Amino acid sequence: MTRHSHSKGTDRRTILRTIGGTGVAIGLAGCTGINEGNDGDGGDGGDGGDGGDGGNGGNGGNGGDGTDTTEQEPEEFNIGVSVPLSGRFSGAGSLFVPSYRAWEKKVNDAGGINGHMVNFQIEDNESDEARANRLASRFVSDEKDFIISAYSSPMMRAAAPPAEDAGIPIINSSGVNFEMHGSFDYAFQFQPTLARNTTASLLNQAGVTDVATWGVDLDWTSQSKGNFVNEVAPDHDLNIVYNDTHSNDQQDFSSFVLRAEEQGADALVSFNYPNSVIAQMRAINNSSWEPTLVSSVTAGVQDVQDALGQELLDWTCVPVVWNANVELEGNDEFKRLYQEQSDLNLAEHAAMGWGSVQVFGEAIRSLGNDAKDGDTLRQWLLDSSVQTILGTSEFNDRGIQQGYDWKETQWQGNEKPLVAPEDVKETDLQYPKPWP
């Protein structure tokens, strides 16, 4: 494999592919072992949704894609996946594995992507940065063609250096840290940078003006929260009356809640992981503060629902980039294949896992064996647009997703319907939030 070239590409788009369409429906067997290299899925990746696959719906068509398989013997593509299956990020991390396995099986059951089979080696990084770095180094030594860091900016930051040194593209299926990407040419962020414009619009709708905000003390939070406090809030005539940060292992939010109440905050906008969401909601419930609206990143995962119960969680808002009811081509197939693979909650993290490998699948379809060349694959990712189950995927010249946007859901009973923006909402926002 050719590595290393570090030539930044331009942000032009040369390929536009529709994932899905007329693909063959393929049944899935039970989930395979987490660390097996497995097997595969079928069809396409790019698939994903695809339909593709196999039949690929388009695939073929694909932009023709340029796969010169009539003259090349299709080679197998090997993907290394680092995912937190234990430790503090495991609640969200576990949601990614069924997506990768389902896609892998779909591709391979259909005979590969233009004959190219795919093989995933999925490893637990234990939510530990040192281990994530070692895993990435192992993937480099094993000459993986592509590396996935499934979840969180800390794990991606740790995994990126070995991939960068080897010239192997690495994608973060879910994580937002645009500052980091200024340092790595081969790093790609599939999840768009967190913006809270829809959250601000909901606060306006609820008649809230005074807002408290806090978040975990990490780069992605300082960037996203800073944007909300300094730009989004003023644009929406919101007053940030209390703004704070906390450690990732923060268990007691009583002082945060007290200060928010003392400052007259009517709503909370938080930027943190599921463990923090659970702790903050319990602290609010044990206080006299009753904010009209709460919007928390990661409040939609099943761990949060299981820990808090529906009564406490009800009417909490959750920023998302995907929703089970979105009407994008291939989404129904994704849901079916995922649920045949696992009984885990079908959350947006699962969709981001599927969408990120859809993009890689399209690169294989377009480039054929040439996708094994790190520089060629990197440039294709920079130059291409791919239709995924989350919408159009496009990376700017720093490898940051800019093709699709954030939306907002709200827990209403046992469902999370879209409540913003107006053009995609499924139901109206419910407020003020009731507190048990």
Side-chain angles (χ1 to χ4, degrees):
M1 289 178 286
T2 303
R3 307 297 185 205
H4 250 304
S5 156
H6 298 294
S7 57
K8 277 282 189 187
T10 59
D11 194 25
R12 56 194 167 78
R13 306 293 163 198
T14 59
I15 297 176
L16 178 61
R17 163 148 182 74
T18 298
I19 303 297
T22 60
V24 179
I26 299 172
L28 295 180
C31 188
T32 57
I34 291 303
N35 292 320
E36 296 168 11
N38 198 343
D39 100 105
D41 129 43
D44 177 66
D47 178 312
D50 172 318
D53 156 283
N56 172 170
N59 151 173
N62 182 22
D65 27 110
T67 309
D68 194 11
T69 54
T70 57
E71 298 180 6
Q72 295 180 333
E73 181 69 26
E75 296 183 27
E76 181 180 70
F77 279 82
N78 295 297
I79 303 99
V81 181
S82 173
V83 58
L85 298 175
S86 58
R88 69 188 189 276
F89 298 139
S90 60
S94 61
L95 299 170
F96 292 89
V97 175
S99 290
Y100 302 139
R101 288 300 186 208
W103 186 85
E104 180 189 36
K105 186 176 190 302
K106 169 184 166 61
V107 170
N108 293 340
D109 281 359
I113 304 170
N114 291 345
H116 298 275
M117 307 298 276
V118 295
N119 177 45
F120 283 70
Q121 180 180 341
I122 299 177
E123 300 285 352
D124 180 12
N125 61 38
E126 301 174 1
S127 303
D128 179 79
E129 293 177 50
R131 177 164 170 76
N133 179 268
R134 291 194 299 272
L135 283 177
S137 295
R138 184 194 307 173
F139 293 149
V140 167
S141 297
D142 292 344
E143 295 193 328
K144 301 301 183 189
D145 300 300
F146 190 57
I147 297 174
I148 297 172
S149 178
Y151 181 68
S152 89
S153 53
M155 297 303 101
M156 177 65 171
R157 180 185 292 279
E164 182 76 10
D165 290 343
I168 301 176
I170 179 172
I171 193 166
N172 191 0
S173 290
S174 176
V176 288
N177 190 334
F178 58 84
E179 289 292 337
M180 182 188 74
H181 288 269
S183 303
F184 299 105
D185 289 341
Y186 289 79
F188 290 84
Q189 175 182 300
F190 181 71
Q191 180 176 337
T193 300
L194 180 61
R196 301 300 284 271
N197 288 296
T198 52
T199 302
S201 296
L202 291 177
L203 292 167
N204 289 158
Q205 182 179 335
V208 171
T209 56
D210 297 331
V211 180
T213 184
W214 58 63
V216 61
D217 189 13
L218 292 171
D219 288 346
W220 74 266
T221 297
S222 63
Q223 295 156 19
S224 301
K225 185 160 66 72
N227 179 65
F228 178 75
V229 171
N230 298 320
E231 298 182 28
V232 176
D235 287 346
H236 289 80
D237 297 320
L238 300 173
N239 302 317
I240 305 301
V241 297
Y242 174 58
N243 179 29
D244 211 338
T245 59
H246 59 82
S247 65
N248 191 49
D249 58 359
Q250 184 86 25
Q251 293 297 313
D252 183 1
F253 279 83
S254 57
S255 63
F256 289 76
V257 171
L258 178 61
R259 279 175 279 182
E261 184 176 22
E262 289 176 340
Q263 296 302 315
D266 293 324
L268 169 64
V269 177
S270 68
F271 301 74
N272 40 30
Y273 294 113
N275 58 313
S276 300
V277 174
I278 293 167
Q280 78 177 23
M281 296 298 284
R282 287 173 173 167
I284 296 172
N285 195 46
N286 290 329
S287 75
S288 58
W289 187 40
E290 295 189 345
T292 296
L293 189 148
V294 173
S295 176
S296 293
V297 181
T298 72
V301 303
Q302 191 160 345
D303 278 10
V304 175
Q305 183 182 21
D306 292 344
L308 296 178
Q310 202 57 51
E311 186 179 15
L312 179 54
L313 191 59
D314 221 18
W315 294 12
T316 299
C317 293
V318 187
V320 299
V321 292
W322 175 87
N323 178 267
N325 297 324
V326 296
E327 295 182 0
L328 289 175
E329 192 170 12
N331 197 42
D332 288 342
E333 183 186 35
F334 156 66
K335 292 186 290 184
R336 176 177 58 80
L337 296 181
Y338 186 93
Q339 290 169 331
E340 291 178 1
Q341 186 81 200
S342 171
D343 60 359
L344 290 172
N345 187 31
L346 190 59
E348 66 170 338
H349 297 91
M352 285 186 282
W354 183 278
S356 62
V357 291
Q358 281 185 281
V359 173
F360 181 58
E362 284 310 307
I364 296 174
R365 195 188 315 284
S366 178
L367 298 172
N369 291 344
D370 289 342
K372 285 181 168 287
D373 178 80
D375 293 328
T376 300
L377 175 57
R378 171 185 171 274
Q379 193 62 52
W380 187 94
L381 292 169
L382 290 172
D383 290 349
S384 303
S385 297
V386 176
Q387 297 305 314
T388 76
I389 60 170
L390 295 99
T392 301
S393 173
E394 293 183 352
F395 301 103
N396 66 14
D397 61 1
R398 296 173 63 194
I400 299 170
Q401 180 63 242
Q402 59 180 12
Y404 59 94
D405 299 318
W406 286 81
K407 306 170 181 62
E408 194 115 12
T409 61
Q410 184 181 40
W411 279 106
Q412 296 184 8
N414 200 40
E415 304 293 331
K416 299 189 297 292
L418 287 163
V419 293
E422 191 70 25
D423 61 341
V424 299
K425 77 173 188 178
E426 301 171 284
T427 191
D428 292 331
L429 173 72
Q430 300 298 308
Y431 64 91
K433 176 176 165 50
W435 294 92

